[in-house]
Amino acid sequence: MTAAVRLGLVGCGRIAERGYLPAARGLPQLEIVAVADPDRERTARLLAGTDIASFGGVEELVAAGSVEALVIAVPADRHLAVARIAAAAGLPSLVEKPPACDLAEALELAALEPAPAIGFNRRFLQGIELMPSIPADSWLELELELCFQRRAWGAHAGHDEALLDAGTHLIDLAVFLTGSTPIAVRDAVVEPGCASMELELGRGRARIECATDRGYAERVEVRDRGGRTLAATATGRLRARTARLRGAGDPLVGSLRRQLDAFAAASRGQSAPVLAGAADGVAAMAAVEAARRSAELNGAEVTVEGPA
């Protein structure tokens, strides 16, 4: 049997506590063997009862030589710096979303060797659920919504605007479900706690709404050109809680488990077609910048920039 990938986790915030650490437990393909975070008290609390090594910074973790790949779950403004360290050491990395704070940094991420994967875990949730019902080559009309209360999440650090925090998930999910690239954004409204837009894609059009200042709700609907529903999924706080009580498990942990499984395969040079790559991060951030510009222009249509 192939030995498990020895994984390092950089950043011990809420996504590590509620997501990556429980998701990695029991996965035969990988093992988290080390973490890095400057908050040693928090790290000690999260790792109590485990034999996972703890370091104050990513440089110390990498220098110890015990890991084969990194998950980067620090705030977005530090993604590029940590990914550079991983690339310099020749380590495959998975960068949590949003990939960067802006398009320029996303392009720098994509230029690294090895280029990082991007943690768009909704591909492993709604994406793999809906994809089998979607035709491969017809025009698609999508509606995507993701809302939650940031206070309820209890982030340890990092307070990205809604467009970065939730909107990048929906942009990437629209790209994944249509199998096409963003072309233009129109009717964008961008506020710190909410954002909306219409996203034109190569083979579809997506209406996107996201918020970090209201009750939890996720909804994805995919229709054909004539308005016929091809695939749909929706959940809210009550439905998610009921599902967990019935033994369905935490959807966040489940999606991250599948994502980590794919990342372990990719780090071994195996195929992982659902896993988002650095180019997908560039596409999402290009759409974000177009949305910001559209909002500044009172909703005018703005072309999404492609890679130079």
Side-chain angles (χ1 to χ4, degrees):
M1 293 180 63
T2 303
V5 175
R6 299 189 306 276
L7 195 66
L9 175 61
V10 185
C12 284
R14 199 64 162 157
I15 189 64
E17 177 184 4
R18 292 183 58 176
Y20 283 110
L21 286 169
R25 293 189 191 114
L27 272 180
Q29 301 89 340
L30 62 88
E31 179 186 7
I32 294 179
V33 299
V35 302
D37 193 287
D39 189 336
R40 304 307 292 272
E41 182 178 341
R42 175 179 175 81
T43 303
R45 187 168 64 252
L46 291 181
L47 301 184
T50 76
D51 57 1
I52 298 173
S54 173
F55 298 89
V58 62
E59 295 91 346
E60 299 171 52
L61 187 156
V62 170
S66 62
V67 302
E68 299 173 282
L70 292 181
V71 169
I72 299 172
V74 296
D77 60 1
R78 293 187 55 218
H79 283 177
L80 179 58
V82 177
R84 282 174 174 156
I85 293 170
L91 296 174
S93 64
L94 171 68
V95 174
E96 217 345 84
K97 65 81 205 166
C101 293
D102 55 36
L103 177 57
E105 288 193 359
L107 287 166
E108 289 191 59
L109 276 178
L112 294 175
E113 181 58 43
I118 306 297
F120 286 130
N121 69 297
R122 261 55 183 186
R123 291 183 172 214
F124 295 88
L125 195 59
Q126 297 98 332
I128 60 174
E129 176 185 349
L130 301 179
M131 184 63 81
S133 300
I134 298 175
D137 55 3
S138 61
W139 178 266
L140 302 172
E141 297 279 350
L142 298 86
E143 291 188 14
L144 304 100
E145 176 187 14
L146 172 56
C147 303
F148 63 90
Q149 282 279 3
R150 189 191 302 280
R151 289 176 299 175
W153 173 248
H156 178 57
H159 300 285
D160 295 325
E161 61 178 341
L163 181 59
L164 280 177
D165 203 352
T168 50
H169 269 311
L170 301 183
I171 292 167
D172 179 73
L173 190 55
V175 167
F176 178 71
L177 291 174
T178 62
S180 60
T181 56
I183 294 173
V185 171
R186 63 182 70 89
D187 299 331
V189 176
V190 179
E191 302 291 344
C194 62
S196 62
M197 72 182 83
E198 184 174 283
L199 178 65
E200 193 82 20
L201 299 121
R203 60 172 288 232
R205 183 166 50 233
R207 185 66 196 173
I208 289 174
E209 296 188 17
C210 60
T212 55
D213 60 0
R214 60 196 69 171
Y216 170 67
E218 291 198 55
R219 179 175 60 91
V220 181
E221 296 181 14
V222 184
R223 296 184 295 274
D224 63 17
R225 193 184 292 271
R228 180 172 64 94
T229 299
L230 301 171
T233 181
T235 189
R237 181 182 302 171
L238 179 59
R239 183 175 176 183
R241 184 178 300 170
T242 301
R244 286 195 293 271
L245 290 174
R246 291 175 176 172
D250 187 325
L252 172 64
V253 173
S255 64
L256 291 181
R257 183 181 294 267
R258 291 185 286 271
Q259 181 172 271
L260 285 174
D261 190 17
F263 177 54
S267 70
R268 293 293 199 209
Q270 301 166 11
S271 175
V274 178
L275 185 68
D280 299 305
V282 170
M285 291 309 302
V288 163
E289 297 220 344
R292 289 170 173 165
R293 183 60 177 155
S294 174
E296 291 172 354
L297 298 173
N298 299 315
E301 180 171 301
V302 175
T303 299
V304 176
E305 293 184 22

